[in-house]
Amino acid sequence: MFAEFAKLAKDKGNDKAKAEVVQQICMELNIHTQAEEEIFYPAVRAALKDDELMNEADVEHAGAKNLIAQLEAMTPAHDHYVAMVIVLGEMIDHHVKEEEEKMFPKAKKAKVDIAALGAAMSQRKHELQSERGEAEKPVKARKAQSR
Ligand SMILES: [Fe+2]
């Protein structure tokens, strides 16, 4: 999705498509970070006893959520919109690299049941997706009425 946005960013006129991709990016990241913070991080923190590694992940989540909240309140007309999305993508790349290269190997070594946590996370993500899907319907219906 970030690569898709980067292509759109070169095209000055396509604000609607940019906003749609960004809305999708923000929704996916909100759902993923929430499920991870509820299920994966507490289990890994308890098993690893490496608070600094987990604290770093928390701070990276907080940084990403801050940018996401700003993007959700912005339109593509904002002069820093494209930069904001690109920097968010760079933050996520860095965060994923840290998880894959540091956190996951340590979690596997500490015998964390990655498969069980993965299954619990994907179930939670489905729940959050349907909750958000339901929450968005009345807004869309309201917008359609006011037209
Ligand atoms: Fe994460």
Side-chain angles (χ1 to χ4, degrees), residues 55-65 91 94-96 98:
N55 292 348
E56 209 181 300
D58 287 344
V59 173
E60 288 173 0
H61 272 212
K65 283 194 259 186
M91 284 169 73
H94 167 83
H95 180 70
V96 168
E98 296 255 304

Side-chain angles (χ1 to χ4, degrees), residues 70-89:
Q70 290 186 60
L71 274 171
E72 284 176 332
M74 243 179 215
T75 70
H78 194 283
D79 61 356
H80 279 53
Y81 188 82
V82 169
M84 197 83 104
V85 181
I86 288 169
V87 171
L88 177 62

Side-chain angles (χ1 to χ4, degrees), residues 36 41 61 95 99:
E36 208 172 42
Y41 282 6
H61 272 212
H95 180 70
E99 286 183 337

